[in-house]
Amino acid sequence: VAAFDVDELIASCAAAQGEPQPGLAVREILERLVSRPADIDAALGSATSGGMRSLYTSPDLTILHIVWPPGVVLFPHDHRMWAANGIYGGAEDNTYFRRVADGIEAAGGAELRAGEVALLGPEAIHAVANPRRAYTAAIHVYGGDYFHALRSQWDLDGRGERPFDVDALHATLAAADDRYREG
Ligand SMILES: [Fe+2]
């Protein structure tokens, strides 16, 4: 088995775009990948601080490396494109939401553990939390441009819909990271 190579991941996800259901194809790619956490660490570095960075961005495909700090709670948001979220270290709790008259309300959830991949449809709205006293490492793949697509975020109470703000995501990660480091 070859070591994890970012260029190979990009190429295989790009090839999956030609499949009838690209999200399902990418989920299978990620399921194989997250079963090899040591190989991912060797390529990307071990997860010792929170943050999000793009491994690849194009109009129809985005690949993110995300490290969730302990205790972080990311506000609800949608994607308006399929999203395949693979966890290779720690845990990622997802709360799902549905639209109601005055905002959104919680409607179920999923507790993702290392080695698991969640596939979210374009309509999905979720909030993400790291419930553990350890960093959570994830690779998220999206069927579009995560950074430039028009989409929404909400306050934690499900109100205040407004355009998704990637700076707010970075700030949320940084604040949780600071809290954890300060103990
Ligand atoms: Fe998300």
Side-chain angles (χ1 to χ4, degrees):
V1 176
F4 171 57
D5 181 88
V6 173
D7 290 335
E8 286 180 18
L9 175 64
I10 295 166
S12 56
C13 289
Q17 296 291 86
E19 298 284 332
Q21 299 195 67
L24 289 175
V26 167
R27 181 169 69 182
E28 290 181 12
I29 291 166
L30 284 180
E31 283 171 345
R32 287 193 293 274
L33 180 62
V34 298
S35 69
R36 300 155 51 204
D39 288 346
I40 305 173
D41 280 348
L44 300 180
S46 58
T48 55
S49 67
M52 180 274 275
R53 65 180 167 127
S54 172
L55 300 177
Y56 182 76
T57 308
S58 75
D60 60 4
L61 181 67
T62 301
I63 304 175
L64 303 180
H65 181 224
I66 302 178
V67 178
W68 301 108
V72 71
V73 179
L74 180 65
F75 47 77
H77 59 274
D78 64 12
H79 308 110
R80 307 190 194 183
M81 60 189 80
W82 60 258
N85 300 347
I87 312 303
Y88 67 93
E92 187 189 285
D93 283 358
N94 280 254
T95 302
Y96 299 121
F97 295 83
R98 63 183 167 217
R99 287 183 176 272
V100 292
D102 56 351
I104 56 173
E105 67 178 16
E111 299 179 353
L112 298 178
R113 300 296 176 257
E116 297 180 335
V117 181
L119 180 63
L120 279 61
E123 308 297 322
I125 301 169
H126 74 155
V128 179
N130 176 2
R132 296 193 180 175
R133 296 290 294 170
Y135 287 95
T136 290
I139 293 181
H140 290 191
V141 182
Y142 305 84
D145 184 338
Y146 182 93
F147 295 95
H148 295 103
L150 178 63
R151 51 204 186 87
S152 289
Q153 68 182 53
W154 290 260
D155 295 326
L156 289 172
D157 65 2
R159 308 297 171 88
E161 181 175 2
R162 56 196 181 278
F164 181 81
D165 176 4
V166 72
D167 290 337
L169 184 156
H170 284 296
T172 300
L173 293 175
D177 214 23
D178 287 348
R179 283 196 302 274
Y180 179 63
R181 288 162 188 270
E182 289 163 6

